[in-house]
Amino acid sequence: MTSPTQVKNVPLLDLRAQYETIRDEMRVAVDRVFDSQHFVLGGEVQMLEEEIARYSQTKFAIGCASGSDALLLALMSCDVGAGDEVITTPFSFFATAGAITRLGAKPVFVDIDERTFNLNPALVSDAVTERTRAIIPVHLYGQCAEMDPILEVSRQGWRQTGGENAGAPIPIIEDAAQAIGAEDARRRAGSMGTIGCFSFYPSKNLGGAGDGGMLVTNQLEHARRLHMLRVHGEETKYHHQVVGINSRLDALQAAVLRVKLPHLEEWTTARQRKAQQYELMFIDAGLSEQIEVPFVRARARHIFHQFVIRVRDGRRDALRDHLRARGVGTDIYYPVPLHLQKCFSFLDYQEGDLPVAELAAKETLALPVYPELTDEQQDYVVGSIAEFLRG
């Protein structure tokens, strides 16, 4: 184990290292776009859409400007609006609930599973009311939420409410921003619900050179609506069927992503190996009782967008300070659960309402995990953690 006294720089993510491996391919792709002078939508975007649809095991894919917009567009396509309710998790990036609120709907937060940090499917059914218009499970950190029970709630629909929608299925919008290529029982993230949403923010496993997003679906009706909604509701030029937004994917981003997509499986395998190596190193260092490594569900394919450990007994923040002093990059995803965010105070949630999510916010810590992370760097990370825990 590398001595933690030998201070190194181990960033949480090293995009420069990735770029060095594909620099020549990337330059060719970018030059191709500049030579074409076609910068918004167009052939590059259409080809990426086709490639993402195949990769995600769906019939259709629709590019948009960001993962946040993907969530908003999906909700719009499902006719979510003022007075509606959308069931989701409090332990996610802000965009999940932000998109709901922007449409005048109400996020209804359901607590999470203690082991996976994903939406607890056993709690979803009880949250359904006559006003429920959609369910948004989040595939957090690169592992799919347990979808079969959630899909069953969707199939049961509003039956138990006795309202005007009784018996109709409830749309499921998969927030797969962190989970492209993840699987639940061999079903790809984004392919199981009504609509799936991806983010191509640069730090994602498949990241662009700026913002970008994608929606996937197997339903032709939603594919058509999403194509309109992303261009102000326009079906043909200057003829607007619905009120949409301006959320188009740039050709430059599509070209960058088309270079990276063929490498994604190799990168995913490398992330999985790094995750397994962490687990073995914690065991070898005698730290397995003090550090809880990610729990991977049976029949799940975890792509390890993040490698998130759990540090009990109130020691998480001190460990993070220690690692920062040793040059090790970390982050907390997420320090304040959504139901306790100031902007959602109008929902009247109180501390203690969703205790599993609240405790996770105090105990989780993301460590560096990416294909280019070297054995020496990983050894240094674990050695630095061992130094802290042994006092």
Side-chain angles (χ1 to χ4, degrees):
M1 187 174 293
T2 303
S3 171
T5 58
Q6 183 184 355
V7 176
K8 295 180 178 292
N9 177 33
V10 187
L12 181 64
L13 179 64
D14 190 351
L15 291 176
R16 283 190 291 265
Q18 181 191 78
Y19 178 62
E20 288 300 318
T21 68
I22 55 174
R23 177 193 293 268
D24 293 341
E25 294 176 83
M26 196 76 76
R27 294 295 180 87
V28 170
V30 170
D31 284 346
R32 183 174 67 241
V33 174
F34 274 101
D35 288 341
S36 75
Q37 288 294 293
H38 197 143
F39 295 112
V40 179
L41 297 179
E44 291 286 351
V45 172
Q46 183 177 347
M47 286 185 283
L48 176 67
E49 289 172 339
E50 293 170 357
E51 292 161 5
I52 293 293
R54 283 195 298 271
Y55 184 79
S56 299
Q57 301 173 353
T58 61
K59 294 179 182 178
F60 309 103
I62 302 94
C64 62
S66 69
S68 297
D69 275 6
L71 290 164
L72 182 66
L73 288 162
L75 289 162
M76 293 171 69
S77 189
C78 292
D79 293 320
V80 173
D84 293 335
E85 296 177 353
V86 178
I87 299 169
T88 192
T89 169
F91 200 59
S92 176
F93 180 59
F94 179 81
T96 308
I100 298 167
T101 310
R102 283 182 64 186
L103 293 174
K106 174 185 175 182
V108 176
F109 295 116
V110 169
D111 215 346
I112 62 174
D113 178 88
E114 184 178 18
R115 298 179 301 173
T116 66
F117 307 114
N118 279 323
L119 188 68
N120 186 337
L123 303 177
V124 174
S125 181
D126 288 343
V128 174
T129 73
E130 291 183 19
R131 293 189 174 185
T132 303
R133 194 62 56 205
I135 304 169
I136 304 184
V138 178
H139 304 321
L140 197 67
Y141 302 148
Q143 178 167 219
C144 289
E146 188 177 354
M147 288 299 294
D148 282 339
I150 300 173
L151 290 166
E152 181 57 29
V153 173
S154 169
R155 284 189 288 268
Q156 292 293 322
W158 291 270
R159 191 169 303 162
Q160 68 270 39
T161 69
E164 62 181 33
N165 295 309
I170 302 172
I172 292 178
I173 297 169
E174 295 177 64
D175 184 341
Q178 300 181 4
I180 189 166
E183 296 179 2
D184 179 26
R186 298 187 177 181
R187 300 166 298 186
R188 283 278 163 97
S191 71
M192 295 171 275
T194 310
I195 302 172
C197 303
F198 295 117
S199 168
F200 299 132
Y201 187 76
S203 63
K204 296 295 192 286
N205 291 30
L206 182 64
D211 275 318
M214 187 76 69
L215 301 112
V216 293
T217 183
N218 287 307
Q219 298 184 21
L220 178 60
E221 178 185 356
H222 280 295
R224 286 173 172 168
R225 283 178 60 81
L226 291 166
H227 273 107
M228 289 191 296
L229 287 167
R230 72 174 176 181
V231 287
H232 296 294
E234 186 179 87
E235 188 172 33
T236 58
K237 195 170 185 179
Y238 304 134
H239 292 79
H240 302 267
Q241 304 302 311
V242 294
V243 176
I245 62 174
N246 177 28
S247 183
R248 301 169 296 188
L249 184 61
D250 292 337
L252 276 168
Q253 298 303 337
V256 167
L257 294 163
R258 292 188 64 224
V259 169
K260 289 188 172 186
L261 183 57
H263 298 277
L264 184 56
E265 284 297 293
E266 176 188 351
W267 292 341
T268 294
T269 299
R271 285 174 177 269
Q272 291 168 332
R273 288 173 179 162
K274 297 297 178 185
Q276 184 179 42
Q277 189 167 328
Y278 266 132
E279 188 169 357
L280 293 173
M281 292 173 75
F282 284 131
I283 292 172
D284 289 345
L287 303 178
S288 56
E289 293 185 3
Q290 297 169 278
I291 297 293
E292 296 179 26
V293 298
F295 173 82
V296 181
R297 291 190 301 106
R299 304 195 307 161
R301 185 197 193 210
H302 199 320
I303 64 163
F304 290 99
H305 171 62
Q306 301 291 348
F307 186 90
V308 176
I309 62 172
R310 188 163 201 154
V311 186
R312 302 280 190 177
D313 302 323
R315 306 184 74 187
R316 191 271 312 274
D317 291 345
L319 172 59
R320 189 183 188 202
D321 290 341
H322 174 83
L323 292 174
R324 184 186 294 114
R326 297 299 185 274
V328 176
T330 64
D331 211 337
I332 298 170
Y333 304 105
Y334 297 92
V336 181
L338 294 175
H339 68 291
L340 298 180
Q341 294 284 352
K342 182 178 180 180
C343 65
F344 293 133
S345 60
F346 69 95
L347 296 172
D348 292 327
Y349 286 95
Q350 305 298 320
E351 190 167 356
D353 286 347
L354 301 172
V356 183
E358 292 168 27
L359 188 59
K362 297 174 182 177
E363 295 183 340
T364 50
L365 185 67
L367 301 180
V369 60
Y370 43 91
E372 300 79 20
L373 186 69
T374 67
D375 290 345
E376 184 181 27
Q377 286 176 314
Q378 199 166 9
D379 192 47
Y380 178 74
V381 172
V382 175
S384 298
I385 293 172
E387 179 188 62
F388 171 81
L389 292 176
R390 291 168 184 164

